[in-house]
Amino acid sequence: IKDIISQRETGEMRMQFWADAIDSIYKNESPQQPIALELMKAKDKNKLSKMWFNRLLNERKRRLNDFPYRNLEELEAYSENTVSSLLYLVLESLGVRCSHSDHAASHIGKAYGIVILLRAIPFHSKQRKVFLPNDILIKHAVSYEDIIRGKISQAVKDVIYEVASLSNSHLETNKKRNLFKARLLSGRIPKIASAGFLCSVICQRYLRDLQSADFDVFHPALQERTPLLPIHLLIQRLRRTY
């Protein structure tokens, strides 16, 4: 919604429509709108939790303004409240309800949310928008104008590296913090849950390609489609891994 509206008030009206629609759906009074009707069917069939919809909507509404993230923690929180919330709903639709699966969904959601931000930098820069965390930009003395102009300096690459490293840390084992991360948890969750975590394949491929491009987020190779991606997703789906 944020990318297709010109005024915050318009976005708030749309968000309120969906907030009211979710309330109605959980009262078994869905509005006569195609998506809402399908959501009601999914809710009834899979016993989907209302709190994940509410958390997603509340976070989207809070971020309607085009303000950069203040720090990496705020970016992580946004990714958790939006992308991870969707993954929790996907798990519920698969009939998976366990703490290990939720833990993996939390990390993968954060990783994917950060990758979405990185992949969108060229698009946002053309609109003169920058959403990279302010604390990282300040740390490396990078200005908004550097990003908007597509400047490829070592300082800009250092910013991208630091943000990308946070995404990668949610996919791998962080030994220093002694926490289970997404991939380490893969042997502890039901195999069927892997179908809900295929976005981790997209994360891994993008981060690998970004590293190959020396963290030049504007590199032409990163703007091209990946023809073999559907095949890789299918292979992981058949293997029931992520």
Side-chain angles (χ1 to χ4, degrees):
I1 290 177
K2 182 174 67 175
D3 290 332
I4 61 175
I5 61 172
S6 57
Q7 295 181 333
R8 180 184 173 88
E9 291 75 15
T10 304
E12 289 178 343
M13 290 174 61
R14 294 192 180 193
M15 289 296 184
Q16 190 58 52
F17 167 82
W18 283 110
D20 293 341
I22 293 299
D23 285 339
S24 297
I25 286 171
Y26 280 85
K27 294 177 182 177
N28 295 318
E29 301 171 354
S30 174
Q32 296 304 301
Q33 199 268 3
I35 296 176
L37 290 171
E38 291 303 315
L39 282 176
M40 185 166 176
K41 292 178 184 177
K43 181 266 295 184
D44 292 338
K45 178 181 179 181
N46 302 300
K47 309 299 181 184
L48 301 181
S49 301
K50 182 182 179 182
M51 64 177 178
W52 302 130
F53 289 109
N54 286 339
R55 191 166 76 154
L56 171 60
L57 287 170
N58 289 337
E59 188 67 19
R60 292 285 194 188
K61 183 177 180 180
R62 192 179 69 83
R63 289 289 307 177
L64 279 175
N65 286 326
D66 290 331
F67 296 139
Y69 297 96
R70 290 176 296 177
N71 47 50
L72 286 172
E73 290 76 17
E74 191 171 82
L75 172 56
E76 280 187 302
Y78 177 79
S79 299
E80 165 68 25
N81 290 333
T82 55
V83 184
S84 295
S85 291
L86 289 173
L87 291 181
Y88 299 142
L89 288 167
V90 170
L91 288 176
E92 290 184 346
S93 71
L94 292 171
V96 177
R97 285 176 166 84
C98 76
S99 60
H100 290 310
S101 297
D102 288 346
H103 195 178
S106 176
H107 288 301
I108 292 174
K110 290 173 184 175
Y112 194 35
I114 295 167
V115 163
I116 289 172
L117 171 72
L118 292 171
R119 292 177 67 180
I121 289 174
F123 170 77
H124 287 140
S125 66
K126 292 177 182 178
Q127 299 180 323
R128 299 191 62 80
K129 297 178 181 179
V130 178
F131 297 105
L132 286 163
N134 277 331
D135 63 337
I136 304 303
L137 293 173
I138 293 171
K139 176 181 177 181
H140 296 283
V142 173
S143 67
Y144 293 161
E145 201 62 29
D146 290 337
I147 304 298
I148 290 170
R149 291 180 178 177
K151 184 178 180 181
I152 307 302
S153 64
Q154 187 57 50
V156 172
K157 290 181 179 181
D158 290 342
V159 168
I160 301 303
Y161 170 79
E162 190 157 349
V163 177
S165 294
L166 179 61
S167 177
N168 187 65
S169 75
H170 283 291
L171 296 175
E172 303 292 347
T173 305
N174 188 331
K175 296 181 180 179
K176 290 183 180 180
R177 293 171 62 183
N178 196 30
L179 291 175
F180 286 118
K181 295 294 183 175
R183 189 174 292 173
L184 186 60
L185 287 164
S186 62
R188 299 179 171 219
I189 66 174
K191 287 293 185 181
I192 192 174
S194 62
F197 296 152
L198 290 178
C199 61
S200 67
V201 178
I202 299 173
C203 287
Q204 294 162 27
R205 291 186 63 83
Y206 179 79
L207 293 173
R208 183 200 66 190
D209 292 344
L210 181 62
Q211 183 179 22
S212 296
D214 193 25
F215 299 96
D216 173 6
V217 77
F218 296 98
H219 195 284
L222 297 175
Q223 316 309 318
E224 298 175 355
R225 292 180 179 274
T226 308
L228 296 179
L229 180 59
I231 296 177
H232 289 294
L233 291 172
L234 177 60
I235 291 173
Q236 296 300 98
R237 177 69 180 88
L238 293 174
R239 288 177 175 174
R240 292 193 171 190
T241 58
Y242 62 90

